[in-house]
Amino acid sequence: MKPFWKWFIGIFLTLLLVLIGGLWYLGNHWKPLLSEKLHEIILSSSDSLYQVTYDDFDFNLVTGNAYVHNFRLIPDTGVYQSLKKQQKAPDNLYDIAVSKLEIKNFHPKRIYAQRRLNIDHILVESPEIKVINESQSYNDTVTVKDKRTLYQKISKVLKELSIHNIAFRDVNVTYTNRNEELEKTTRLRNVNININDLQVDSASQNDSLRFYNAKSVDFQMNDYRLATGDSLYYVDLSGIHFTSAERSIVLSGLRMTPRYNKVDFYKQTKLAKERFDLTFDTIQFNNIDLFKLLRQQRLYAGNAQIGKAKVEVYNNTAYPRKPKKEKIGKYPHQQLRKLALPLKIDTLMLKETDISYVEHNGKTGQTGKVTFDRTKGTFYNITNDSVALAQNKFLTADIHSRFMNNGHLQIQFSFDMDDKLGAFSYKGALTNMNAMALNPLTKPLAMIEISSGNFRKLSFHVRADEYRARGNVQFYYTDLAVNILLKKEEGKQSGNRVVNTLANKFIINDSNPDANEKFHPGPINYRRPLTASFFNFFWKSLMEGVKASAGVTKEREAKLMNTAESADKTVGKVRGFLKEVFKKKPKDNK
């Protein structure tokens, strides 16, 4: 798909040809001859692919005003098929309708006396633009024969062309992509474009500060909606604003919302998969390299900012999971490296984001929640450009958050963008957290209730790749005690005194350093299951070090779980025996 601006440049050039042709021949030809000449210009410039129609073309030599009503640029599909056979057809076919074209004050005297076309204002009202894209392989190898600038092309007719303002109002665009097996159509509505101070002369043709000969171009589109291909979500955008003068793009009110509530969503998917609900107030790109964006389709920006945002993820594991597939090469930074769009963003700032993951556990029948509140962060050197990576191959991030809206979490990531095994490292700390704040997560999902505890500091430093994570955890805490919860037949959870005593006295260290002032480090040497996602690998490897610090080795954990199951069965048998022994016997009837 060609950049959006090219469609409007095409419109403008078409209208410009009509205007120049009309004014140039106006001195020698009158209105009856003008229509024939305009048709001739369009036919000859497009290899007879297009023809022009309009209801009326009115102009006034005294006031310098002109109007075109119901302008149409109509493609001839028969000619297009013929051009395809000759390998001369363009990639895009346009069908354009404009209800009204208004030109204010084109200074007729300057045209005749000085060969200068100066226009104060052009209004293009309610244009309907239909674009059909069908890429022709031969166009990729065709060399551009005419490399002249726009001024060089018009210099024999005009010494200067200037337009103070061009306004496109209420533009509707329908773009059809016929390059795939299934035809895809994209519609844009309510687009407004302002082009200010367009100048074409000997001085401006090499002015690098101008954007295609204009001092500034502003693009505004409101209320855009897209349905995702899986029919599960809507993507809504309340507005997008591009300004060439400030070299910025602002997306406002970006949302991805499920089309179904939680119950109906899983009736549709029939699988345990994540359900996303995303909201971003603003996403802004600043200091964009416009030359790379429009001519090379590369997104280079000095910085980007994500305003207040909310990310909610929900999963229901009562449904069957999808068959697991290996996720080698699927880390976020590896996916960025493979992205088709070349990009380089020096700095990305995440201002304030609330992140939550909610899971309904099919085994426990309970719903757990983990949150990262008021998350802020800065990402540096976000790029997949090989030239930029040759100078700095690391993408880094510094993130701060309130974990479970309680403890302060700080993490620094470093991703090696050139490493074939997807190497990365992370380090950070969680400080000053009440351990009981974890209960909304641990009780429903792990069947563990934390009855007391204070996490003074949990620091970590880990190096990892696609296969293994190695590092260490330094976990300082006091007064840690837990209840191991057992599920009853009625679905409720309750503790068991025998199991809890065993856990707190013999399995878990209640403090670190312990009563003997011995500190227990948490070594990490975790092998990644090849089906595990990046975040699953990150979490599980970190938890290996946390468990080791708390004294929960794999052997102790297995022993505890076996004891819990045995105790639960034993208590049930004893309770049943006592009920049998002490139940009332019926009196004999004599």
Side-chain angles (χ1 to χ4, degrees):
M1 176 177 176
K2 290 192 175 182
F4 189 75
W5 62 270
K6 288 191 176 181
W7 303 342
F8 293 98
I9 294 296
I11 297 171
F12 171 71
L13 291 176
T14 300
L15 298 175
L16 186 62
L17 286 170
V18 174
L19 180 65
I20 293 174
L23 294 175
W24 179 250
Y25 285 94
L26 190 59
N28 301 312
H29 302 270
W30 293 108
K31 192 172 180 179
L33 299 177
L34 183 58
S35 179
E36 180 182 346
K37 196 62 185 179
L38 294 180
H39 282 84
E40 182 182 325
I41 292 173
I42 297 299
L43 288 170
S44 61
S45 62
S46 66
D47 286 334
S48 300
L49 180 57
Y50 294 99
Q51 59 177 322
V52 169
T53 65
Y54 49 85
D55 290 350
D56 188 27
F57 180 29
D58 192 18
F59 54 87
N60 190 310
L61 291 174
V62 178
T63 62
N65 297 332
Y67 303 89
V68 178
H69 294 276
N70 295 326
F71 172 88
R72 286 290 309 275
L73 180 70
I74 304 171
D76 188 323
T77 55
V79 173
Y80 181 70
Q81 295 301 324
S82 177
L83 290 173
K84 284 175 66 176
K85 292 179 181 179
Q86 301 174 47
Q87 295 192 350
K88 293 182 179 180
D91 293 336
N92 292 324
L93 194 64
Y94 298 91
D95 188 334
I96 301 172
V98 178
S99 63
K100 182 180 179 181
L101 169 65
E102 179 180 306
I103 302 170
K104 290 287 188 180
N105 200 1
F106 56 79
H107 303 284
K109 290 183 179 179
R110 297 180 190 175
I111 300 175
Y112 302 123
Q114 305 172 20
R115 287 201 300 146
R116 299 179 187 277
L117 177 56
N118 305 126
I119 302 172
D120 289 352
H121 179 71
I122 295 178
L123 173 64
V124 183
E125 197 170 281
S126 303
E128 293 279 346
I129 305 169
K130 297 177 182 178
V131 185
I132 297 175
N133 178 261
E134 192 174 346
S135 297
Q136 311 299 331
S137 58
Y138 48 81
N139 284 334
D140 295 334
T141 59
V142 173
T143 57
V144 179
K145 296 179 180 179
D146 193 345
K147 297 183 179 180
R148 295 177 299 169
T149 64
L150 181 57
Y151 169 71
Q152 291 170 338
K153 292 178 181 179
I154 69 168
S155 59
K156 291 183 179 181
V157 179
L158 296 171
K159 290 182 178 180
E160 176 187 277
L161 167 64
S162 68
I163 305 172
H164 181 69
N165 175 259
I166 306 173
F168 295 88
R169 292 286 178 266
D170 296 323
V171 182
N172 293 326
V173 179
T174 301
Y175 180 88
T176 302
N177 186 340
R178 290 183 176 173
N179 297 305
E180 305 294 334
E181 186 175 346
L182 294 176
E183 184 175 287
K184 295 181 180 179
T185 299
T186 303
R187 293 179 176 84
L188 304 180
R189 295 289 181 265
N190 307 315
V191 176
N192 293 304
I193 300 175
N194 277 308
I195 302 174
N196 298 306
D197 190 15
L198 181 72
Q199 190 77 26
V200 182
D201 57 22
S202 57
S204 65
Q205 65 176 334
N206 297 316
D207 187 348
S208 60
L209 297 178
R210 288 182 173 270
F211 182 70
Y212 289 92
N213 296 98
K215 200 73 174 180
S216 68
V217 175
D218 293 334
F219 173 97
Q220 179 76 45
M221 183 181 70
N222 300 318
D223 302 325
Y224 177 71
R225 164 167 280 195
L226 172 70
T228 58
D230 57 12
S231 300
L232 294 176
Y233 298 93
Y234 286 122
V235 178
D236 292 290
L237 186 64
S238 62
I240 177 171
H241 184 209
F242 163 76
T243 171
S244 66
E246 298 178 4
R247 296 190 298 152
S248 68
I249 298 175
V250 180
L251 308 177
S252 57
L254 178 62
R255 295 197 62 189
M256 187 175 85
T257 54
R259 299 174 66 172
Y260 307 97
N261 60 34
K262 291 183 176 70
V263 174
D264 292 338
F265 182 90
Y266 288 97
K267 286 181 179 178
Q268 290 288 326
T269 62
K270 297 179 176 59
L271 291 170
K273 63 182 296 183
E274 287 84 2
R275 175 184 181 272
F276 297 93
D277 194 339
L278 314 177
T279 302
F280 300 90
D281 283 359
T282 58
I283 300 177
Q284 182 168 342
F285 299 90
N286 301 311
N287 299 322
I288 299 171
D289 188 323
L290 298 177
F291 176 84
K292 284 186 169 60
L293 178 63
L294 299 176
R295 294 189 179 180
Q296 301 178 3
Q297 286 76 59
R298 296 172 177 265
L299 178 57
Y300 277 52
N303 65 79
Q305 297 178 3
I306 299 178
K308 193 171 182 180
K310 195 171 185 179
V311 176
E312 297 179 351
V313 184
Y314 177 86
N315 200 354
N316 188 342
T317 61
Y319 286 83
R321 295 181 181 273
K322 282 202 278 187
K324 290 186 176 181
K325 297 180 180 179
E326 287 191 5
K327 295 184 178 181
I328 296 299
K330 301 293 186 180
Y331 284 167
H333 61 296
Q334 292 174 313
Q335 296 288 66
L336 172 62
R337 198 71 169 89
K338 299 173 185 177
L339 195 65
L341 173 68
L343 63 83
K344 183 180 185 298
I345 301 173
D346 295 339
T347 306
L348 169 64
M349 289 169 283
L350 186 67
K351 289 192 173 180
E352 185 171 319
T353 300
D354 291 332
I355 304 169
S356 66
Y357 176 79
V358 179
E359 181 179 303
H360 180 77
N361 190 304
K363 293 182 179 179
T364 66
Q366 303 293 315
T367 300
K369 183 176 184 179
V370 58
T371 65
F372 298 86
D373 304 280
R374 289 169 281 170
T375 303
K376 299 179 181 180
T378 307
F379 298 76
Y380 301 96
N381 195 39
I382 302 175
T383 183
N384 55 9
D385 184 270
S386 56
V387 176
L389 290 173
Q391 299 176 352
N392 180 10
K393 66 176 183 175
F394 291 100
L395 186 162
T396 59
D398 185 5
I399 301 171
H400 296 256
S401 183
R402 296 286 293 179
F403 180 53
M404 301 298 286
N405 204 25
N406 191 286
H408 177 253
L409 177 64
Q410 185 269 331
I411 306 179
Q412 292 179 328
F413 286 97
S414 180
F415 299 96
D416 189 335
M417 298 296 293
D418 276 345
D419 189 79
K420 293 182 179 180
L421 296 180
F424 69 97
S425 65
Y426 61 93
K427 61 181 179 178
L430 174 66
T431 56
N432 301 323
M433 182 170 180
N434 186 330
M436 289 186 291
L438 288 172
N439 281 330
L441 172 66
T442 60
K443 285 179 66 176
L445 301 185
M447 301 287 283
I448 295 175
E449 178 183 32
I450 301 174
S451 55
S452 67
N454 178 46
F455 297 164
R456 290 161 48 203
K457 184 177 182 180
L458 191 161
S459 62
F460 47 88
H461 190 178
V462 181
R463 296 182 180 276
D465 56 27
E466 287 191 311
Y467 300 99
R468 188 175 289 277
R470 295 181 176 88
N472 61 81
V473 166
Q474 304 288 319
F475 191 13
Y476 298 84
Y477 63 91
T478 58
D479 304 320
L480 180 62
V482 302
N483 291 325
I484 307 300
L485 302 176
L486 304 174
K487 185 179 178 182
K488 300 303 179 184
E489 291 181 2
E490 58 270 23
K492 295 182 179 179
Q493 295 174 330
S494 65
N496 181 284
R497 290 183 181 180
V498 175
V499 176
N500 291 335
T501 300
L502 176 63
N504 291 306
K505 294 295 183 182
F506 301 103
I507 304 295
I508 298 172
N509 300 326
D510 65 347
S511 297
N512 196 19
D514 61 21
N516 298 319
E517 297 185 356
K518 180 182 178 180
F519 181 78
H520 300 268
I524 296 173
N525 188 1
Y526 180 73
R527 180 179 292 276
R528 175 200 179 198
L530 298 185
T531 58
S533 68
F534 171 82
F535 293 103
N536 179 278
F537 180 43
F538 164 78
W539 177 255
K540 291 290 182 64
S541 59
L542 189 59
M543 285 306 298
E544 181 174 281
V546 172
K547 288 179 180 180
S549 287
V552 185
T553 62
K554 292 181 179 179
E555 292 77 12
R556 284 184 172 185
E557 188 176 9
K559 182 179 179 181
L560 177 62
M561 292 299 103
N562 291 333
T563 303
E565 291 178 5
S566 300
D568 190 38
K569 292 177 181 178
T570 301
V571 169
K573 290 179 179 178
V574 171
R575 186 182 292 114
F577 173 76
L578 292 175
K579 283 182 179 180
E580 186 67 27
V581 170
F582 292 105
K583 72 179 181 179
K584 291 183 179 180
K585 296 182 179 180
K587 293 181 179 180
D588 294 334
N589 294 325
K590 294 183 178 180

